[in-house]
Amino acid sequence: MRHRVRAGDPAAFGELFDVGARRVYNHAYRLLGDWSAAEDTVSLTFLEAWRGRNRVQPEGGPLVPWLLGIATNVARNLARARRRHAAALDRLPQPRDEPDFADEVADKIDVLNSARAAQQALSALRRPEREVFALCVYAELDYVATAEALDIPVGTVRSRLSRARARLRDVAVPPVAAHEEAW
């Protein structure tokens, strides 16, 4: 597979997409907390993978860690662009407040509340810890694959994951308390 991808074989990229697209999407969603941004990340990840196919090492294991490493970088860039866009919008005059019934309905959906609470807990982590946590826990990569995806030593993966878990224990809010606060 690595040789075929490296050679630019479209069928190999189709197989790689079939194997990795869902994992890239889930990883991006967990990093960004936005379905649309996760879809953009999938598209941009495979575009970058195509462009960087000659950097694939001929020998090695599965290509999913390579894709997740690309996705992590793409997600960083998209998050940076979102922050810049938000900062630009903050500089504009604020429109008058109008009641939005969609917000009222969305706040009452339990699934969205749970996702929001999880995303909030993850946002309390520093970016490097959040990325390692997402790859190890959500993408289910082992330490070696995570280290390869982020281009860092395995020991760094272990220490970041340990700090992330400790911090999440500190900021975690029991679901019952979170539900009561919403009402």
Side-chain angles (χ1 to χ4, degrees):
M1 175 69 116
R2 286 178 170 266
H3 292 287
R4 292 173 53 212
V5 165
R6 196 172 160 85
D9 178 1
F13 264 88
E15 291 172 30
L16 184 59
F17 184 86
D18 292 342
V19 168
R22 172 60 62 193
R23 290 187 70 185
V24 168
Y25 175 85
N26 289 338
H27 177 62
Y29 178 74
R30 288 179 182 112
L31 289 177
L32 299 170
D34 181 282
W35 292 307
S36 178
E39 290 172 355
D40 291 344
T41 300
V42 172
S43 299
L44 292 171
T45 295
F46 280 92
L47 176 63
E48 289 301 318
W50 176 259
R51 288 179 179 162
R53 66 188 179 276
N54 60 342
R55 292 190 309 262
V56 171
Q57 298 300 315
E59 301 300 323
L63 289 171
V64 172
W66 174 66
L67 284 175
L68 292 175
I70 294 170
T72 299
N73 290 330
V74 168
R76 280 182 199 156
N77 291 339
L78 287 175
R80 186 180 311 117
R82 285 177 22 183
R83 284 190 306 273
R84 288 178 180 164
H85 179 75
L89 290 178
D90 286 344
R91 291 189 298 269
L92 295 175
Q94 296 299 317
R96 291 182 302 140
D97 287 336
E98 298 288 335
D100 186 356
F101 300 105
D103 289 342
E104 204 174 296
V105 172
D107 288 341
K108 293 182 182 181
I109 298 175
D110 290 338
V111 173
L112 290 180
N113 285 335
S114 297
R116 192 175 304 120
Q119 191 63 33
Q120 184 177 10
L122 286 176
S123 69
L125 299 175
R126 291 183 18 238
R127 181 186 48 81
E129 293 165 354
R130 186 173 52 246
E131 291 169 354
V132 166
F133 186 85
L135 288 171
C136 288
V137 175
Y138 294 124
E140 300 178 347
L141 294 184
D142 62 17
Y143 295 139
V144 174
T146 299
E148 179 185 332
L150 295 176
D151 195 25
I152 58 175
V154 174
T156 303
V157 170
R158 290 176 190 270
S159 64
R160 287 181 183 173
L161 183 59
S162 176
R163 280 193 305 267
R165 286 179 173 157
R167 178 127 184 159
L168 287 174
R169 276 191 295 270
D170 292 342
V171 300
V173 175
V176 173
H179 180 70
E180 290 172 356
E181 290 176 16
W183 295 100

